[in-house]
Amino acid sequence: MVNAVTEQIQATLNANKQAEIGQAPEHIFILFGATGDLARRKLYPALLRLWSEKRLPQHFAILGVARRPYNHDTFREQVRKAIEEFAPSALTEANDWESFQERLYYCSADATKSEDFPAVASLVKDLEANLNIPTHRLFYLAMAPELFAPVAEQLQASGLTAIGHAPADNNPHLPWKRLIIEKPFGRDRDSAEQLNQALRRVFAEDEIFRIDHYLGKEMVQNIEVLRFSNALFEPIWNHRNIASVQITSSETVGVEERAAYYDKSGALRDMVQNHMLQMVMMMAMEPPSRLKVEAIRDEKVKVLRSLRALKEEEVAHQVVRGQYRAGTMNGQAVLGYREESGVQPRSSTETFVAARLFIDNFRWTGVPFYLRTGKRMGAKATEIVVQFHNMPKHLYFNPEGHLQPNLLSIQVSPQEGISIRINAKQPGTDAVVVPVKMDFFQHSESPEAYERLLLDAMQGDATFFTRWDEVSLAWKFVDPIADAFLDHRLPLEPYAAGTWGPDVATQLPAVDGYRWWPLSVQSHEEV
């Protein structure tokens, strides 16, 4: 009895120590799709960095599951090669690769075959027993979305999920299970609902972590701090002071190896339904009533509930869709979308979407939110520009009326920082007012998004993961737009690779008297 009490006390002390240093609890990380592109490019470098930073406990294991006939040693070699190829700095900075690789294990299994799952279950239980790991299991499905539900069902059938349901408080005495899945969460609202029902037969809602890597980015998470901790911003963060909000997420790459998925998805489903609307929610949400996960997520959901729905006949006036044609990127000729490998020659899939949205609540009434996202654009950037209302232009020190509006720019990537543009008198003049830019940039390297989000999931913190009602409401908004695209009610506007999208997209802000503001990455020639 004394020994049992002592063990409980020690386990609690260890858990408290882990929490103090931001360390994950003891658990086994079970990765399906362990030989896939996501795992190789993002997950293994993130896990190695977490290990190097001592964010992972000693009693910990990574079990890779995939079809390839690897053993533990060949799997470890493949993980090292992947990190050397995609994140060599993670390997260079790692001071303990040998001990990290000792925690890598592999099980060859086909996720589509139920007869392969007993071997996975047996290895999981052996590792927990042999490595003294408590029954804490984190499942990551880095695989095709159509496999999410079948794999969850097989996890249940094999007994791997039959460990009860514990609150996400990392209690060292209670077993827990969690599931991480990647977007897309369905193709529309109906398919998302079907997927959710299938997952909920195995996992509770608070055990499902729907990952959106944009929510792991430093400056996206910094939006809350910027807004709610500064008297400079929160009192004026409303329609009385803000004229418009612009959110841009542009890519220079084409579809690359994702053609098979992208040609069936397009920019609307791939970017707007998740990443772009997540940034809208972060910008527009109210202060949470409590510093609790669900209180924060409740406020995000309220934004989606207030988002003005678009009827199919309204889409043509509020949305622009485009597709890139052949052009020039960095002095090199590139193919148009329809000439890309794996793309249908007559494809009508959009690679660019711009939209004009309104949030019908007391704070944001009448303020347009302009979104644009696309591939093969002029530069890679994710940036939010807040334009404030103009001051009276014809003042005694500005008789020509050339005052420019104040701007707040939140630069998410590739550079992380904040810029504020104000008006000031040009030195040496009497009445020449010019815009002046004040910049703040992150000088230290921020943790990669997956590193941050993996640690959150291990710790049971779902703040920056997507709740089911967010997914459902986002699809409810997007579905009428997708239907209009399908019915070809909206022209597919061409744009040359290397430009900033179709010319007609400039009309979205122009109807309100605004324009797309140049991003920090744009050259003077482009502006």
Side-chain angles (χ1 to χ4, degrees):
M1 180 67 177
V2 174
N3 289 339
V5 171
T6 302
E7 289 176 2
Q8 288 185 355
I9 293 173
Q10 187 60 50
T12 302
L13 291 173
N14 290 341
N16 291 339
K17 183 178 180 180
Q18 288 172 347
E20 288 174 5
I21 64 174
Q23 191 180 76
E26 298 170 344
H27 71 284
I28 184 168
F29 185 89
I30 305 157
L31 174 60
F32 286 83
T35 59
D37 194 59
L38 174 64
R40 297 175 69 247
R41 287 177 179 268
K42 297 294 184 180
L43 302 185
Y44 297 138
L47 288 166
L48 177 58
R49 287 192 177 101
L50 288 173
W51 178 260
S52 300
E53 295 162 4
K54 302 189 183 307
R55 296 299 186 93
L56 299 179
Q58 288 296 316
H59 297 287
F60 167 76
I62 299 168
L63 174 59
V65 182
R67 289 179 295 181
R68 296 187 183 183
Y70 294 156
N71 58 32
H72 300 325
D73 290 333
T74 53
F75 176 57
R76 290 164 181 166
E77 292 171 6
Q78 293 302 315
V79 171
R80 184 180 178 98
K81 288 179 181 178
I83 297 174
E84 287 175 343
E85 180 179 358
F86 296 111
S89 62
L91 198 58
T92 302
E93 296 163 5
N95 51 19
D96 204 3
W97 164 258
E98 293 301 323
S99 63
F100 175 74
Q101 75 164 2
E102 289 173 2
R103 283 149 178 86
L104 295 172
Y105 298 87
Y106 186 79
C107 183
S108 179
D110 188 332
T112 65
K113 296 180 178 179
S114 58
E115 60 267 27
D116 286 0
F117 278 79
V120 178
S122 177
L123 184 51
V124 167
K125 294 171 184 177
D126 286 346
L127 290 174
E128 289 173 341
N130 296 333
L131 302 178
N132 196 25
I133 299 174
T135 311
H136 297 160
R137 298 169 184 168
L138 179 58
F139 302 95
Y140 198 125
L141 306 189
M143 56 205 322
E146 58 266 24
L147 295 175
F148 291 169
V151 169
E153 291 168 0
Q154 292 304 323
L155 290 175
Q156 184 180 52
S158 66
L160 278 169
T161 60
I163 55 177
H165 173 222
D169 59 1
N170 294 332
N171 188 317
H173 313 302
L174 297 176
W176 54 254
K177 62 183 185 295
R178 294 178 193 137
L179 176 73
I180 304 178
I181 57 174
E182 287 275 343
K183 75 171 185 71
F185 314 120
R187 180 174 172 79
D188 52 26
R189 196 180 188 190
D190 288 343
S191 60
E193 175 69 43
Q194 292 172 10
L195 172 61
N196 187 61
Q197 289 178 357
L199 296 179
R200 287 295 305 275
R201 286 193 285 269
V202 184
F203 295 89
E205 171 60 30
D206 62 359
E207 295 175 325
I208 301 173
F209 289 69
R210 302 173 187 86
I211 197 167
D212 183 335
H213 73 272
Y214 265 53
L215 290 178
K217 292 181 179 293
E218 176 68 31
M219 290 309 299
V220 172
Q221 295 192 359
N222 211 355
I223 291 172
E224 284 185 312
V225 177
L226 176 71
R227 287 187 52 194
F228 302 140
S229 67
N230 289 291
L232 180 66
F233 294 122
E234 179 53 27
I236 63 171
W237 208 259
N238 53 55
H239 66 91
R240 298 185 184 89
N241 301 283
I242 292 177
S244 70
V245 178
Q246 299 180 8
I247 304 177
T248 298
S249 184
S250 59
E251 298 179 90
T252 55
V253 297
V255 291
E256 298 181 307
E257 70 282 349
R258 300 177 69 221
Y261 157 74
Y262 195 89
D263 204 36
K264 298 176 182 178
S265 174
L268 181 69
R269 292 184 174 91
D270 189 51
M271 291 292 295
V272 176
Q273 187 273 339
N274 38 77
H275 303 326
M276 303 299 284
L277 288 183
Q278 285 291 338
M279 287 190 283
V280 170
M281 285 185 271
M282 297 294 286
M283 290 295 292
M285 64 183 282
E286 296 293 324
S289 59
R290 296 168 297 156
L291 293 178
K292 299 289 185 181
V293 171
E294 294 310 316
I296 295 170
R297 297 163 99 187
D298 286 344
E299 296 305 330
K300 292 172 62 183
V301 167
K302 289 178 185 177
V303 175
L304 290 180
R305 294 190 186 280
S306 300
L307 198 59
R308 186 185 301 174
L310 295 180
K311 299 177 182 178
E312 286 189 40
E313 59 270 20
E314 297 175 326
V315 171
H317 304 291
Q318 307 284 16
V319 180
V320 172
R321 68 176 185 141
Q323 187 184 86
Y324 67 82
R325 300 292 190 256
T328 302
M329 305 287 299
N330 297 321
Q332 300 292 322
V334 296
L335 298 173
Y337 177 72
R338 293 177 179 176
E339 289 80 53
E340 298 273 22
S341 176
V343 174
Q344 295 296 319
R346 299 173 63 88
S347 174
S348 60
T349 299
E350 77 286 351
T351 63
F352 173 94
V353 172
R356 177 173 174 261
L357 314 179
F358 288 92
I359 299 170
D360 293 330
N361 61 20
F362 187 79
R363 182 184 290 265
W364 294 108
T365 181
V367 178
F369 280 66
Y370 305 110
L371 314 183
R372 62 175 174 174
T373 181
K375 291 187 174 295
R376 287 293 190 210
M377 294 179 69
K380 178 178 174 59
T382 299
E383 190 164 336
I384 303 168
V385 179
V386 178
Q387 178 176 339
F388 293 90
H389 284 302
N390 289 331
M391 295 296 290
K393 291 188 175 182
H394 294 280
L395 301 172
Y396 71 93
F397 53 78
N398 185 50
E400 301 299 324
H402 292 157
L403 280 182
Q404 295 292 308
N406 297 142
L407 302 176
L408 169 66
S409 172
I410 302 172
Q411 295 148 40
V412 176
S413 68
Q415 195 164 24
E416 299 174 336
I418 300 166
S419 297
I420 301 175
R421 196 182 79 170
I422 62 174
N423 293 309
K425 186 177 78 68
Q426 182 172 311
T429 66
D430 292 328
V432 178
V433 179
V434 295
V436 177
K437 192 176 180 183
M438 298 187 295
D439 297 322
F440 160 75
F441 295 115
Q442 299 279 108
H443 294 296
S444 59
E445 184 177 350
S446 300
E448 208 276 341
Y450 275 97
E451 182 181 339
R452 187 190 307 270
L453 293 174
L454 284 176
L455 183 60
D456 284 349
M458 292 171 180
Q459 295 175 327
D461 184 350
T463 303
F464 293 105
F465 291 82
T466 307
R467 202 168 66 184
W468 161 243
D469 48 358
E470 290 179 54
V471 175
S472 178
L473 288 168
W475 277 124
K476 183 179 180 181
F477 176 78
V478 164
D479 278 352
I481 303 174
D483 290 341
F485 286 9
L486 186 64
D487 295 342
H488 303 290
R489 299 183 190 179
L490 198 62
L492 187 63
E493 305 286 350
Y495 64 98
T499 64
W500 286 89
D503 291 339
V504 69
T506 62
Q507 296 304 309
L508 284 176
V511 297
D512 300 314
Y514 306 126
R515 65 185 179 94
W516 291 107
W517 289 103
L519 305 184
S520 303
V521 295
Q522 288 182 256
S523 66
H524 295 293
E525 290 78 11
E526 293 172 309
V527 177

